[in-house]
Amino acid sequence: MNKSLNIDIIFPWEIGFFFVILGVLLIFFGIRQSKKTLDDLDSIPITKATTKIFFGFVLCIFGFIQMLPLLK
């Protein structure tokens, strides 16, 4: 008997691939931003680096779920 995670896709795999790429970019820019020191209070970024990294991981996981039909 096959067991399933009961995870269903919402978008086609192409959109999932786009989410994965966008997630990797967010993670990259979040890590790059976290390495910078804050010298001037006028240059405070709108979003924190940890927020970018978190949403990047969420987008990667969501994108990989959308790409599950490619495994068949």
Side-chain angles (χ1 to χ4, degrees):
M1 181 180 296
N2 291 337
K3 291 187 177 185
S4 174
L5 295 175
N6 293 330
I7 297 175
D8 199 14
I9 63 167
I10 301 171
F11 300 110
W13 69 269
E14 294 92 355
I15 305 294
F17 183 71
F18 173 73
F19 284 150
V20 169
I21 297 298
L22 185 65
V24 168
L25 285 174
L26 277 176
I27 292 170
F28 173 74
F29 286 124
I31 291 173
R32 190 169 155 208
Q33 178 184 349
S34 68
K35 291 182 180 180
K36 292 182 180 177
T37 58
L38 183 62
D39 294 333
D40 188 14
L41 293 177
D42 293 333
S43 66
I44 295 176
I46 295 173
T47 59
K48 291 185 177 182
T50 54
T51 307
K52 288 179 187 174
I53 294 170
F54 173 74
F55 282 119
F57 276 116
V58 168
L59 279 175
C60 283
I61 291 171
F62 184 73
F64 282 128
I65 289 172
Q66 301 309 309
M67 291 176 26
L68 280 177
L70 292 177
L71 296 177
K72 290 184 180 180

